[in-house]
Amino acid sequence: MKVHHLNCGSMTTIEATYDGPRPLPVVCHCLLVETDTDGLVLIESGLGTEDVRRPQDTLDPVWRELASPALDPAEPAVRQVERLGFRPEDVRHIAVTHLDVDHTGGLPDFPAARVHVRAEELTAAAAEAPSRRYRPAHWAHGPHWETYEGDGGDTWAGFAGVRELAGLGGDFLLVPLGGHSAGHAGIAVRDGDRWLLHAGDAYFYHREIAPEDPSSHPLLDFIQLDAQVDAELRIANQRRLAEAAREEEITVLNAHDPWTFLRLAG
């Protein structure tokens, strides 16, 4: 397999909380995985082409004001897939950590893909939409949902209820990481002899899971606290992620930290 790191939606520029890294725009960090037998697998979908073309119809105005998305026509996942020499229909699977606006905008650009998500998240989105976080335009095309209930599953890296993504075998795992939203999850991808664990919005800033002197980011922490549905569960999962990040064979990343994206994408 080959893994590509894509930024599918630049947003407001932020500064690091310590000397060194330069200010950078918040990203929508997606993974595009080339598999040997199952085509392309997209982890997260960022903002899509319709968000760029007509944001007034697909994105909440308050969210647009807070996030300040660049809406760069070169950034949607489908455009980056094409630049890599693939067709949109080559993306057969999309796994999303949750259904917030900045994670689902690309879904309509891949209407034939199977979309993997926890059942609790889909139920919450259907009940709450339209809202600032859940935008029905992103699933109005009727995605081929592949849902996962909260019971059952295995234990992996200290996380319970872990399941293989249907149709993809043991190289792709759905890891429950509740707290940020009703059915939030991480997606683990086997990359050779290592794992990439995309933790979505389970944490926002790389220093939150730092091995020494962990700290949050003032602006990102405000967003995190505003969005969370279960603070105790979110914090517990952050602690588990910090432990997982210390494992030699696991690389933990999140959806929006620009410095982690820059390091992994090169």
Side-chain angles (χ1 to χ4, degrees), residues 167-180:
L168 289 171
D171 290 333
F172 295 85
L173 305 176
L174 184 140
V175 182
L177 289 176
H180 173 73

Side-chain angles (χ1 to χ4, degrees), residues 93-118:
H93 298 264
I94 302 175
V96 288
T97 61
H98 60 304
L99 296 175
D100 276 3
V101 55
D102 46 343
H103 299 255
T104 58
L107 296 183
D109 294 325
F110 306 99
R114 293 167 68 181
V115 181
H116 302 260
V117 66
R118 289 184 69 192

Side-chain angles (χ1 to χ4, degrees), residues 100 132-133 179-181 201-205 208 216-235 238:
D100 276 3
R132 191 171 66 187
R133 75 186 309 169
H180 173 73
S181 67
D201 287 355
Y203 71 103
F204 276 65
Y205 187 48
E208 290 181 75
S216 60
H217 188 284
L219 175 58
L220 297 176
D221 201 38
F222 170 79
I223 298 170
Q224 189 166 222
L225 294 174
D226 179 64
Q228 69 183 2
V229 299
D230 188 327
E232 183 177 354
L233 181 58
R234 178 183 65 79
I235 292 169
Q238 278 193 6

Side-chain angles (χ1 to χ4, degrees), residues 8-264:
C8 299
S10 297
M11 294 180 279
T12 187
T13 297
I14 60 174
E15 296 182 352
T17 60
Y18 57 102
D19 294 336
R22 69 184 187 275
L24 289 172
V26 170
V27 299
C28 290
H29 192 162
C30 303
L31 305 177
L32 182 70
V33 185
E34 299 180 36
T35 73
D36 295 331
T37 58
D38 297 298
L40 301 178
V41 180
L42 185 63
I43 310 301
E44 306 281 55
S45 74
L47 297 175
T49 56
E50 288 301 291
D51 297 321
V52 172
R53 282 199 291 257
R54 50 187 189 95
Q56 68 281 358
D57 296 330
T58 63
L59 304 175
D60 178 77
V62 175
W63 183 87
R64 284 160 50 202
E65 182 177 356
L66 292 172
S68 299
L71 302 179
D72 183 341
E75 288 187 339
V78 68
R79 298 293 170 249
Q80 300 191 58
V81 166
E82 291 169 341
R83 287 200 297 276
L84 287 168
F86 300 104
R87 303 168 300 166
E89 54 267 34
D90 292 329
V91 176
R92 299 183 191 171
H93 298 264
I94 302 175
V96 288
T97 61
H98 60 304
L99 296 175
D100 276 3
V101 55
D102 46 343
H103 299 255
T104 58
L107 296 183
D109 294 325
F110 306 99
R114 293 167 68 181
V115 181
H116 302 260
V117 66
R118 289 184 69 192
E120 298 98 321
E121 184 70 11
L122 185 57
T123 298
E128 296 178 25
S131 65
R132 191 171 66 187
R133 75 186 309 169
Y134 296 131
R135 305 304 295 170
H138 289 168
W139 52 81
H141 62 290
H144 303 281
W145 298 112
E146 190 76 52
T147 59
Y148 301 81
E149 301 293 339
D151 55 344
D154 299 314
T155 299
W156 178 85
F159 298 98
V162 176
R163 297 171 178 272
E164 295 181 359
L165 292 188
L168 289 171
D171 290 333
F172 295 85
L173 305 176
L174 184 140
V175 182
L177 289 176
H180 173 73
S181 67
H184 188 278
I187 308 296
V189 180
R190 193 192 305 273
D191 184 19
D193 58 355
R194 297 182 54 79
W195 286 90
L196 292 172
L197 175 53
H198 196 312
D201 287 355
Y203 71 103
F204 276 65
Y205 187 48
H206 60 276
R207 290 189 63 83
E208 290 181 75
I209 61 168
E212 297 180 1
D213 192 26
S215 62
S216 60
H217 188 284
L219 175 58
L220 297 176
D221 201 38
F222 170 79
I223 298 170
Q224 189 166 222
L225 294 174
D226 179 64
Q228 69 183 2
V229 299
D230 188 327
E232 183 177 354
L233 181 58
R234 178 183 65 79
I235 292 169
N237 278 321
Q238 278 193 6
R239 290 172 180 154
R240 292 190 187 97
L241 286 168
E243 294 172 2
R246 289 194 286 271
E247 298 289 335
E248 185 176 344
E249 70 275 12
I250 299 175
T251 297
V252 180
L253 60 127
N254 69 15
H256 300 304
D257 186 286
W259 299 283
T260 299
F261 174 79
L262 188 64
R263 174 172 58 85
L264 295 177

